Amino acid sequence: MKTPLYNALMEYSKHKKPFHMPGHKLGTFGDMKHLDLTALDVTEANGLDNLYEAEGIIKEAMQEMSRFYGAQSTTFLTNGSTAGILGSLMTICKPGDKVLIARNCHHSVWHALILIGAVPIYIQPEYNEDFGLMGVIAKETISQALDLYPEVKGAIIVSPTYEGIVSEVKGIAEVLHEQDKVLIVDEAHGAHFVVDEAFPESSVLQGADLVIQSMHKTLPTLTQSALLHRGTNKVNESELIKNLRLVQTSSPSYVMMSLMDYMRGYIESHRNEIKESYIVPLEKIREELSKMRKLKLLELPSVMYDQSKIVIFTNGSGIDGYTLGQYLEERYDIVAEAMLPHLIILMTTLADNEQTLTHLEKALRAIDDELFLNQSIASDDRYSKLIGPILSQVDNVKKGELSPREVYYKEARLTLIDRCLDRICAQQIMLYPPGVPIICLGERISKVHIDLIKQYRDRLKGLEIVDSQIHCKVL
Ligand SMILES: Cc1ncc(COP(=O)(O)O)c(C=O)c1O
């Protein structure tokens, strides 16, 4: 049989040690490998309920889930957090409405704006100079934005970030609620926060109105399994379901829904075992990794940082993040979640244990020892320090001139950067690394933008170089 995809995946799962999504890590959590997934793959047959008109077993399972997370209600998503983000924004905004959008949001947020025709007011997350990472949204930025644009319907922010940094959601929710606005938190990377006190508090418990989580990213469930929680009663549940129906499949997977239900039950009845098998060794290896001499572990207090993420900076070590990822895979079969020029991200989940975590720790420490002995290699700090001054030139709060929908349906032209002043940008432009958004879709290009683009041309993602001249897509 010629089955290239199937064969490659079977081979991959035999040998590799994934420190990436999905959270079940090739089915190695609990009794997952022994579950009969085909028995769970059914449809809306008699007695099996219906996700969009739930009143039986699906409703009961979703109620158990909302109890677990402390939400007012929870809806299963079978098309990832993407569907939750689309459905949430479609529920709070109509065409022409304004909404606060953190610049570091996932691209599904812009897709939602294209579908709705809503107008973004961009808000800038703080930049953490010590780590060279985008960090939290400050509640002061939200206040400033509400003063300037009191008509906004609400805000969407990302917490935790991909690297694991969480915002002070409680304070942000209070500021928005004082003006009767809705807070949506993209907590795609935080579905595991309720599992143990070692993790930050979920936004659901901090007053966010809508919280979206990809269960598949950080918990042992199948890819695309996700949750949409109503943390408060501010947003109408049936409106949400109506909009989810527009963006999700009409055949929601019972395998995904029932596994989310099963894993929630399994975790609840095995909390102590999980503490012993995963949390304790995780804390131990974090302590060991903090002693590395060339590679640097990202360390922050657990109220503001997800300890499950192992983020390793390579600045000054003599190798970049890609090379570190390559060493880990070639020598130890360890596959990272993400590799960037200055860091790598390794995801640990409940499926990890003393053995997998120690394997990772030993691998990283051996590479670190080797780098330490090889002192002749030049250090490389070029990524971390420049960003603060750059960001101070980008507005903290800025309205998009056109809605992403208008930009999407207009014809954009690749234009020489010197001719882009005051034109509407038809693309996202990022400073990379570390991945700092500089201009977003529908923003008007200023002199400051052009100067930044020229100065940092080699580090900007999305621009095109034609005949060695920088070009940008504009209207
Ligand atoms: C911050 C963030 N939000 C939303 C999403 C979308 O999640 P999903 O893949 O579950 O649709 C992602 C996916 O990478 C993400 O990183």
Side-chain angles (χ1 to χ4, degrees), residues 21 79-85 104-109 158-162 186-189 212-217 223-226 337:
M21 306 174 220
N79 295 93
S81 282
T82 297
I85 288 170
N104 61 339
C105 277
H106 184 249
H107 51 82
S108 54
V109 169
V158 188
S159 179
T161 61
Y162 194 26
D186 173 353
E187 202 173 79
H189 289 269
I212 301 125
Q213 298 171 331
S214 293
M215 235 180 146
H216 67 95
K217 293 191 195 299
T223 297
Q224 292 190 34
S225 308
E337 162 66 25

PDB file of all heavy atoms in Angstrom, residues 21 79-85 104-109 158-162 186-189 212-217 223-226 337, ligand 1:
ATOM      1  N   MET A  21       2.886  20.347  20.834  1.00  0.00           N
ATOM      2  CA  MET A  21       1.474  19.954  20.853  1.00  0.00           C
ATOM      3  C   MET A  21       1.256  18.739  19.943  1.00  0.00           C
ATOM      4  O   MET A  21       2.069  18.548  19.053  1.00  0.00           O
ATOM      5  CB  MET A  21       0.614  21.086  20.298  1.00  0.00           C
ATOM      6  CG  MET A  21       0.790  22.394  20.952  1.00  0.00           C
ATOM      7  SD  MET A  21      -0.188  23.548  19.974  1.00  0.00           S
ATOM      8  CE  MET A  21       0.888  24.941  19.958  1.00  0.00           C
ATOM      9  N   ASN A  79     -13.494  22.872  16.349  1.00  0.00           N
ATOM     10  CA  ASN A  79     -12.660  23.470  15.300  1.00  0.00           C
ATOM     11  C   ASN A  79     -11.635  24.402  15.926  1.00  0.00           C
ATOM     12  O   ASN A  79     -11.344  25.480  15.392  1.00  0.00           O
ATOM     13  CB  ASN A  79     -13.513  24.227  14.276  1.00  0.00           C
ATOM     14  CG  ASN A  79     -14.422  23.291  13.510  1.00  0.00           C
ATOM     15  OD1 ASN A  79     -15.565  23.092  13.890  1.00  0.00           O
ATOM     16  ND2 ASN A  79     -13.908  22.669  12.469  1.00  0.00           N
ATOM     17  N   GLY A  80     -11.116  24.007  17.075  1.00  0.00           N
ATOM     18  CA  GLY A  80     -10.048  24.737  17.723  1.00  0.00           C
ATOM     19  C   GLY A  80     -10.490  26.043  18.355  1.00  0.00           C
ATOM     20  O   GLY A  80     -11.655  26.456  18.253  1.00  0.00           O
ATOM     21  N   SER A  81      -9.516  26.712  18.997  1.00  0.00           N
ATOM     22  CA  SER A  81      -9.779  28.029  19.579  1.00  0.00           C
ATOM     23  C   SER A  81     -10.159  29.011  18.493  1.00  0.00           C
ATOM     24  O   SER A  81     -10.858  29.995  18.743  1.00  0.00           O
ATOM     25  CB  SER A  81      -8.532  28.555  20.301  1.00  0.00           C
ATOM     26  OG  SER A  81      -8.407  27.928  21.551  1.00  0.00           O
ATOM     27  N   THR A  82      -9.672  28.765  17.291  1.00  0.00           N
ATOM     28  CA  THR A  82     -10.010  29.625  16.161  1.00  0.00           C
ATOM     29  C   THR A  82     -11.525  29.834  16.091  1.00  0.00           C
ATOM     30  O   THR A  82     -11.995  30.975  15.965  1.00  0.00           O
ATOM     31  CB  THR A  82      -9.492  28.963  14.860  1.00  0.00           C
ATOM     32  OG1 THR A  82      -8.072  28.878  14.961  1.00  0.00           O
ATOM     33  CG2 THR A  82      -9.881  29.737  13.627  1.00  0.00           C
ATOM     34  N   ALA A  83     -12.282  28.758  16.201  1.00  0.00           N
ATOM     35  CA  ALA A  83     -13.745  28.872  16.123  1.00  0.00           C
ATOM     36  C   ALA A  83     -14.286  29.700  17.288  1.00  0.00           C
ATOM     37  O   ALA A  83     -15.215  30.501  17.119  1.00  0.00           O
ATOM     38  CB  ALA A  83     -14.379  27.483  16.127  1.00  0.00           C
ATOM     39  N   GLY A  84     -13.689  29.525  18.475  1.00  0.00           N
ATOM     40  CA  GLY A  84     -14.141  30.276  19.654  1.00  0.00           C
ATOM     41  C   GLY A  84     -13.877  31.762  19.506  1.00  0.00           C
ATOM     42  O   GLY A  84     -14.682  32.605  19.921  1.00  0.00           O
ATOM     43  N   ILE A  85     -12.731  32.089  18.910  1.00  0.00           N
ATOM     44  CA  ILE A  85     -12.375  33.497  18.708  1.00  0.00           C
ATOM     45  C   ILE A  85     -13.327  34.121  17.686  1.00  0.00           C
ATOM     46  O   ILE A  85     -13.877  35.213  17.901  1.00  0.00           O
ATOM     47  CB  ILE A  85     -10.898  33.609  18.272  1.00  0.00           C
ATOM     48  CG1 ILE A  85     -10.010  33.281  19.476  1.00  0.00           C
ATOM     49  CG2 ILE A  85     -10.579  34.992  17.702  1.00  0.00           C
ATOM     50  CD1 ILE A  85      -8.537  33.101  19.167  1.00  0.00           C
ATOM     51  N   ASN A 104      -0.616  41.620  19.618  1.00  0.00           N
ATOM     52  CA  ASN A 104       0.007  40.286  19.538  1.00  0.00           C
ATOM     53  C   ASN A 104      -1.035  39.165  19.429  1.00  0.00           C
ATOM     54  O   ASN A 104      -0.734  38.009  19.700  1.00  0.00           O
ATOM     55  CB  ASN A 104       0.913  40.044  20.753  1.00  0.00           C
ATOM     56  CG  ASN A 104       0.164  40.093  22.066  1.00  0.00           C
ATOM     57  OD1 ASN A 104      -0.917  40.676  22.150  1.00  0.00           O
ATOM     58  ND2 ASN A 104       0.728  39.501  23.107  1.00  0.00           N
ATOM     59  N   CYS A 105      -2.268  39.513  19.039  1.00  0.00           N
ATOM     60  CA  CYS A 105      -3.304  38.470  18.924  1.00  0.00           C
ATOM     61  C   CYS A 105      -2.992  37.480  17.792  1.00  0.00           C
ATOM     62  O   CYS A 105      -2.261  37.790  16.862  1.00  0.00           O
ATOM     63  CB  CYS A 105      -4.663  39.116  18.642  1.00  0.00           C
ATOM     64  SG  CYS A 105      -5.481  39.689  20.139  1.00  0.00           S
ATOM     65  N   HIS A 106      -3.605  36.328  17.888  1.00  0.00           N
ATOM     66  CA  HIS A 106      -3.500  35.272  16.865  1.00  0.00           C
ATOM     67  C   HIS A 106      -4.197  35.742  15.585  1.00  0.00           C
ATOM     68  O   HIS A 106      -5.134  36.541  15.635  1.00  0.00           O
ATOM     69  CB  HIS A 106      -4.207  34.025  17.409  1.00  0.00           C
ATOM     70  CG  HIS A 106      -4.109  32.822  16.543  1.00  0.00           C
ATOM     71  ND1 HIS A 106      -5.182  32.301  15.882  1.00  0.00           N
ATOM     72  CD2 HIS A 106      -3.065  32.031  16.237  1.00  0.00           C
ATOM     73  CE1 HIS A 106      -4.818  31.223  15.207  1.00  0.00           C
ATOM     74  NE2 HIS A 106      -3.529  31.045  15.408  1.00  0.00           N
ATOM     75  N   HIS A 107      -3.760  35.212  14.427  1.00  0.00           N
ATOM     76  CA  HIS A 107      -4.332  35.734  13.180  1.00  0.00           C
ATOM     77  C   HIS A 107      -5.826  35.461  13.028  1.00  0.00           C
ATOM     78  O   HIS A 107      -6.508  36.141  12.279  1.00  0.00           O
ATOM     79  CB  HIS A 107      -3.532  35.281  11.940  1.00  0.00           C
ATOM     80  CG  HIS A 107      -3.285  33.810  11.881  1.00  0.00           C
ATOM     81  ND1 HIS A 107      -4.221  32.946  11.413  1.00  0.00           N
ATOM     82  CD2 HIS A 107      -2.220  33.061  12.240  1.00  0.00           C
ATOM     83  CE1 HIS A 107      -3.744  31.716  11.467  1.00  0.00           C
ATOM     84  NE2 HIS A 107      -2.530  31.755  11.967  1.00  0.00           N
ATOM     85  N   SER A 108      -6.364  34.507  13.804  1.00  0.00           N
ATOM     86  CA  SER A 108      -7.815  34.273  13.716  1.00  0.00           C
ATOM     87  C   SER A 108      -8.596  35.524  14.131  1.00  0.00           C
ATOM     88  O   SER A 108      -9.753  35.698  13.725  1.00  0.00           O
ATOM     89  CB  SER A 108      -8.225  33.083  14.589  1.00  0.00           C
ATOM     90  OG  SER A 108      -7.770  33.251  15.903  1.00  0.00           O
ATOM     91  N   VAL A 109      -7.992  36.396  14.948  1.00  0.00           N
ATOM     92  CA  VAL A 109      -8.678  37.635  15.352  1.00  0.00           C
ATOM     93  C   VAL A 109      -8.882  38.526  14.127  1.00  0.00           C
ATOM     94  O   VAL A 109      -9.952  39.098  13.928  1.00  0.00           O
ATOM     95  CB  VAL A 109      -7.872  38.360  16.450  1.00  0.00           C
ATOM     96  CG1 VAL A 109      -8.410  39.759  16.703  1.00  0.00           C
ATOM     97  CG2 VAL A 109      -7.891  37.536  17.735  1.00  0.00           C
ATOM     98  N   VAL A 158      -4.441  38.362  24.580  1.00  0.00           N
ATOM     99  CA  VAL A 158      -3.893  36.998  24.652  1.00  0.00           C
ATOM    100  C   VAL A 158      -3.226  36.819  26.009  1.00  0.00           C
ATOM    101  O   VAL A 158      -2.321  37.578  26.352  1.00  0.00           O
ATOM    102  CB  VAL A 158      -2.766  36.789  23.619  1.00  0.00           C
ATOM    103  CG1 VAL A 158      -2.354  35.326  23.566  1.00  0.00           C
ATOM    104  CG2 VAL A 158      -3.167  37.286  22.266  1.00  0.00           C
ATOM    105  N   SER A 159      -3.634  35.834  26.756  1.00  0.00           N
ATOM    106  CA  SER A 159      -2.987  35.549  28.033  1.00  0.00           C
ATOM    107  C   SER A 159      -3.244  34.086  28.381  1.00  0.00           C
ATOM    108  O   SER A 159      -4.409  33.708  28.493  1.00  0.00           O
ATOM    109  CB  SER A 159      -3.552  36.459  29.131  1.00  0.00           C
ATOM    110  OG  SER A 159      -2.944  36.171  30.360  1.00  0.00           O
ATOM    111  N   PRO A 160      -2.240  33.241  28.499  1.00  0.00           N
ATOM    112  CA  PRO A 160      -0.815  33.516  28.392  1.00  0.00           C
ATOM    113  C   PRO A 160      -0.386  33.697  26.932  1.00  0.00           C
ATOM    114  O   PRO A 160      -1.095  33.273  26.016  1.00  0.00           O
ATOM    115  CB  PRO A 160      -0.180  32.231  28.953  1.00  0.00           C
ATOM    116  CG  PRO A 160      -1.168  31.164  28.615  1.00  0.00           C
ATOM    117  CD  PRO A 160      -2.509  31.809  28.749  1.00  0.00           C
ATOM    118  N   THR A 161       0.790  34.304  26.763  1.00  0.00           N
ATOM    119  CA  THR A 161       1.381  34.362  25.439  1.00  0.00           C
ATOM    120  C   THR A 161       1.925  32.967  25.097  1.00  0.00           C
ATOM    121  O   THR A 161       1.974  32.080  25.958  1.00  0.00           O
ATOM    122  CB  THR A 161       2.548  35.354  25.414  1.00  0.00           C
ATOM    123  OG1 THR A 161       3.533  34.894  26.343  1.00  0.00           O
ATOM    124  CG2 THR A 161       2.105  36.768  25.777  1.00  0.00           C
ATOM    125  N   TYR A 162       2.352  32.824  23.878  1.00  0.00           N
ATOM    126  CA  TYR A 162       2.925  31.540  23.427  1.00  0.00           C
ATOM    127  C   TYR A 162       4.057  31.113  24.362  1.00  0.00           C
ATOM    128  O   TYR A 162       4.235  29.936  24.675  1.00  0.00           O
ATOM    129  CB  TYR A 162       3.465  31.767  22.005  1.00  0.00           C
ATOM    130  CG  TYR A 162       3.811  30.540  21.203  1.00  0.00           C
ATOM    131  CD1 TYR A 162       3.209  29.312  21.439  1.00  0.00           C
ATOM    132  CD2 TYR A 162       4.730  30.634  20.164  1.00  0.00           C
ATOM    133  CE1 TYR A 162       3.525  28.209  20.661  1.00  0.00           C
ATOM    134  CE2 TYR A 162       5.049  29.537  19.383  1.00  0.00           C
ATOM    135  CZ  TYR A 162       4.450  28.327  19.647  1.00  0.00           C
ATOM    136  OH  TYR A 162       4.767  27.237  18.881  1.00  0.00           O
ATOM    137  N   ASP A 186      -8.084  35.292  25.003  1.00  0.00           N
ATOM    138  CA  ASP A 186      -7.598  34.141  24.248  1.00  0.00           C
ATOM    139  C   ASP A 186      -6.607  33.413  25.171  1.00  0.00           C
ATOM    140  O   ASP A 186      -5.451  33.803  25.294  1.00  0.00           O
ATOM    141  CB  ASP A 186      -6.928  34.629  22.965  1.00  0.00           C
ATOM    142  CG  ASP A 186      -6.241  33.495  22.205  1.00  0.00           C
ATOM    143  OD1 ASP A 186      -6.175  32.378  22.742  1.00  0.00           O
ATOM    144  OD2 ASP A 186      -5.764  33.750  21.088  1.00  0.00           O
ATOM    145  N   GLU A 187      -7.129  32.400  25.855  1.00  0.00           N
ATOM    146  CA  GLU A 187      -6.313  31.602  26.777  1.00  0.00           C
ATOM    147  C   GLU A 187      -6.012  30.254  26.108  1.00  0.00           C
ATOM    148  O   GLU A 187      -6.040  29.195  26.754  1.00  0.00           O
ATOM    149  CB  GLU A 187      -7.060  31.422  28.113  1.00  0.00           C
ATOM    150  CG  GLU A 187      -6.174  31.093  29.294  1.00  0.00           C
ATOM    151  CD  GLU A 187      -6.910  31.079  30.627  1.00  0.00           C
ATOM    152  OE1 GLU A 187      -7.594  30.074  30.941  1.00  0.00           O
ATOM    153  OE2 GLU A 187      -6.836  32.075  31.380  1.00  0.00           O
ATOM    154  N   ALA A 188      -5.749  30.321  24.793  1.00  0.00           N
ATOM    155  CA  ALA A 188      -5.537  29.087  24.017  1.00  0.00           C
ATOM    156  C   ALA A 188      -4.481  28.201  24.662  1.00  0.00           C
ATOM    157  O   ALA A 188      -4.578  26.974  24.621  1.00  0.00           O
ATOM    158  CB  ALA A 188      -5.147  29.432  22.581  1.00  0.00           C
ATOM    159  N   HIS A 189      -3.466  28.830  25.278  1.00  0.00           N
ATOM    160  CA  HIS A 189      -2.370  28.049  25.860  1.00  0.00           C
ATOM    161  C   HIS A 189      -2.519  27.844  27.369  1.00  0.00           C
ATOM    162  O   HIS A 189      -1.529  27.567  28.048  1.00  0.00           O
ATOM    163  CB  HIS A 189      -1.034  28.730  25.557  1.00  0.00           C
ATOM    164  CG  HIS A 189      -0.658  28.630  24.113  1.00  0.00           C
ATOM    165  ND1 HIS A 189       0.110  27.595  23.622  1.00  0.00           N
ATOM    166  CD2 HIS A 189      -0.984  29.403  23.043  1.00  0.00           C
ATOM    167  CE1 HIS A 189       0.253  27.753  22.314  1.00  0.00           C
ATOM    168  NE2 HIS A 189      -0.395  28.828  21.935  1.00  0.00           N
ATOM    169  N   ILE A 212     -11.344  31.557  25.844  1.00  0.00           N
ATOM    170  CA  ILE A 212     -11.228  30.496  24.841  1.00  0.00           C
ATOM    171  C   ILE A 212      -9.955  29.701  25.123  1.00  0.00           C
ATOM    172  O   ILE A 212      -8.880  30.286  25.282  1.00  0.00           O
ATOM    173  CB  ILE A 212     -11.173  31.116  23.429  1.00  0.00           C
ATOM    174  CG1 ILE A 212     -12.452  31.933  23.182  1.00  0.00           C
ATOM    175  CG2 ILE A 212     -11.008  30.045  22.367  1.00  0.00           C
ATOM    176  CD1 ILE A 212     -12.219  33.329  22.785  1.00  0.00           C
ATOM    177  N   GLN A 213     -10.087  28.394  25.179  1.00  0.00           N
ATOM    178  CA  GLN A 213      -8.919  27.549  25.479  1.00  0.00           C
ATOM    179  C   GLN A 213      -8.790  26.409  24.473  1.00  0.00           C
ATOM    180  O   GLN A 213      -9.777  25.731  24.181  1.00  0.00           O
ATOM    181  CB  GLN A 213      -9.069  26.907  26.865  1.00  0.00           C
ATOM    182  CG  GLN A 213      -9.147  27.889  28.008  1.00  0.00           C
ATOM    183  CD  GLN A 213      -9.499  27.210  29.310  1.00  0.00           C
ATOM    184  OE1 GLN A 213     -10.183  26.172  29.313  1.00  0.00           O
ATOM    185  NE2 GLN A 213      -9.047  27.769  30.411  1.00  0.00           N
ATOM    186  N   SER A 214      -7.583  26.178  23.995  1.00  0.00           N
ATOM    187  CA  SER A 214      -7.324  24.999  23.157  1.00  0.00           C
ATOM    188  C   SER A 214      -6.955  23.863  24.099  1.00  0.00           C
ATOM    189  O   SER A 214      -5.815  23.768  24.543  1.00  0.00           O
ATOM    190  CB  SER A 214      -6.145  25.240  22.213  1.00  0.00           C
ATOM    191  OG  SER A 214      -6.433  26.195  21.251  1.00  0.00           O
ATOM    192  N   MET A 215      -7.909  23.008  24.389  1.00  0.00           N
ATOM    193  CA  MET A 215      -7.597  21.882  25.284  1.00  0.00           C
ATOM    194  C   MET A 215      -6.500  21.021  24.658  1.00  0.00           C
ATOM    195  O   MET A 215      -5.666  20.441  25.329  1.00  0.00           O
ATOM    196  CB  MET A 215      -8.857  21.054  25.497  1.00  0.00           C
ATOM    197  CG  MET A 215      -9.227  20.879  26.948  1.00  0.00           C
ATOM    198  SD  MET A 215     -10.702  19.893  27.139  1.00  0.00           S
ATOM    199  CE  MET A 215     -10.313  19.052  28.665  1.00  0.00           C
ATOM    200  N   HIS A 216      -6.506  20.964  23.317  1.00  0.00           N
ATOM    201  CA  HIS A 216      -5.547  20.076  22.629  1.00  0.00           C
ATOM    202  C   HIS A 216      -4.110  20.552  22.755  1.00  0.00           C
ATOM    203  O   HIS A 216      -3.185  19.761  22.603  1.00  0.00           O
ATOM    204  CB  HIS A 216      -5.915  19.946  21.150  1.00  0.00           C
ATOM    205  CG  HIS A 216      -5.753  21.206  20.338  1.00  0.00           C
ATOM    206  ND1 HIS A 216      -4.631  21.474  19.612  1.00  0.00           N
ATOM    207  CD2 HIS A 216      -6.583  22.260  20.140  1.00  0.00           C
ATOM    208  CE1 HIS A 216      -4.785  22.645  18.978  1.00  0.00           C
ATOM    209  NE2 HIS A 216      -5.959  23.144  19.285  1.00  0.00           N
ATOM    210  N   LYS A 217      -3.919  21.842  23.049  1.00  0.00           N
ATOM    211  CA  LYS A 217      -2.532  22.325  23.101  1.00  0.00           C
ATOM    212  C   LYS A 217      -1.833  21.847  24.373  1.00  0.00           C
ATOM    213  O   LYS A 217      -0.699  21.404  24.316  1.00  0.00           O
ATOM    214  CB  LYS A 217      -2.493  23.854  23.039  1.00  0.00           C
ATOM    215  CG  LYS A 217      -2.940  24.444  21.711  1.00  0.00           C
ATOM    216  CD  LYS A 217      -2.603  25.927  21.659  1.00  0.00           C
ATOM    217  CE  LYS A 217      -3.331  26.669  20.555  1.00  0.00           C
ATOM    218  NZ  LYS A 217      -3.052  26.206  19.201  1.00  0.00           N
ATOM    219  N   THR A 223      -6.272  16.994  18.640  1.00  0.00           N
ATOM    220  CA  THR A 223      -6.112  18.288  17.966  1.00  0.00           C
ATOM    221  C   THR A 223      -7.460  18.833  17.497  1.00  0.00           C
ATOM    222  O   THR A 223      -8.270  18.083  16.939  1.00  0.00           O
ATOM    223  CB  THR A 223      -5.150  18.117  16.778  1.00  0.00           C
ATOM    224  OG1 THR A 223      -3.895  17.724  17.315  1.00  0.00           O
ATOM    225  CG2 THR A 223      -4.961  19.416  16.010  1.00  0.00           C
ATOM    226  N   GLN A 224      -7.629  20.129  17.752  1.00  0.00           N
ATOM    227  CA  GLN A 224      -8.851  20.906  17.466  1.00  0.00           C
ATOM    228  C   GLN A 224      -9.859  20.885  18.617  1.00  0.00           C
ATOM    229  O   GLN A 224     -10.876  21.586  18.553  1.00  0.00           O
ATOM    230  CB  GLN A 224      -9.556  20.485  16.166  1.00  0.00           C
ATOM    231  CG  GLN A 224      -8.757  20.828  14.924  1.00  0.00           C
ATOM    232  CD  GLN A 224      -9.541  20.639  13.649  1.00  0.00           C
ATOM    233  OE1 GLN A 224     -10.744  20.849  13.589  1.00  0.00           O
ATOM    234  NE2 GLN A 224      -8.841  20.229  12.594  1.00  0.00           N
ATOM    235  N   SER A 225      -9.594  20.098  19.657  1.00  0.00           N
ATOM    236  CA  SER A 225     -10.531  20.091  20.787  1.00  0.00           C
ATOM    237  C   SER A 225     -10.322  21.361  21.597  1.00  0.00           C
ATOM    238  O   SER A 225      -9.211  21.623  22.051  1.00  0.00           O
ATOM    239  CB  SER A 225     -10.258  18.900  21.711  1.00  0.00           C
ATOM    240  OG  SER A 225     -10.227  17.705  20.973  1.00  0.00           O
ATOM    241  N   ALA A 226     -11.376  22.149  21.765  1.00  0.00           N
ATOM    242  CA  ALA A 226     -11.211  23.420  22.476  1.00  0.00           C
ATOM    243  C   ALA A 226     -12.491  23.769  23.235  1.00  0.00           C
ATOM    244  O   ALA A 226     -13.509  23.079  23.109  1.00  0.00           O
ATOM    245  CB  ALA A 226     -10.849  24.519  21.474  1.00  0.00           C
ATOM    246  N   GLU A 337       8.713  22.593  20.346  1.00  0.00           N
ATOM    247  CA  GLU A 337       7.480  23.189  19.832  1.00  0.00           C
ATOM    248  C   GLU A 337       7.804  24.297  18.829  1.00  0.00           C
ATOM    249  O   GLU A 337       7.181  24.393  17.777  1.00  0.00           O
ATOM    250  CB  GLU A 337       6.676  23.754  21.020  1.00  0.00           C
ATOM    251  CG  GLU A 337       5.603  24.768  20.701  1.00  0.00           C
ATOM    252  CD  GLU A 337       4.438  24.207  19.896  1.00  0.00           C
ATOM    253  OE1 GLU A 337       4.185  22.994  19.957  1.00  0.00           O
ATOM    254  OE2 GLU A 337       3.794  25.007  19.188  1.00  0.00           O
TER     255      GLU A 337
HETATM  256  C1  LIG B   1      -2.591  32.456  21.041  1.00  0.00           C
HETATM  257  C2  LIG B   1      -3.365  31.558  20.124  1.00  0.00           C
HETATM  258  N1  LIG B   1      -4.683  31.752  19.987  1.00  0.00           N
HETATM  259  C3  LIG B   1      -5.442  30.974  19.187  1.00  0.00           C
HETATM  260  C4  LIG B   1      -4.864  29.942  18.477  1.00  0.00           C
HETATM  261  C5  LIG B   1      -5.734  29.081  17.609  1.00  0.00           C
HETATM  262  O1  LIG B   1      -5.906  27.849  18.236  1.00  0.00           O
HETATM  263  P1  LIG B   1      -6.438  26.539  17.482  1.00  0.00           P
HETATM  264  O2  LIG B   1      -5.271  25.975  16.750  1.00  0.00           O
HETATM  265  O3  LIG B   1      -6.913  25.667  18.597  1.00  0.00           O
HETATM  266  O4  LIG B   1      -7.518  26.950  16.565  1.00  0.00           O
HETATM  267  C6  LIG B   1      -3.493  29.698  18.582  1.00  0.00           C
HETATM  268  C7  LIG B   1      -2.874  28.609  17.816  1.00  0.00           C
HETATM  269  O5  LIG B   1      -1.715  28.466  17.644  1.00  0.00           O
HETATM  270  C8  LIG B   1      -2.721  30.527  19.430  1.00  0.00           C
HETATM  271  O6  LIG B   1      -1.409  30.331  19.580  1.00  0.00           O
END
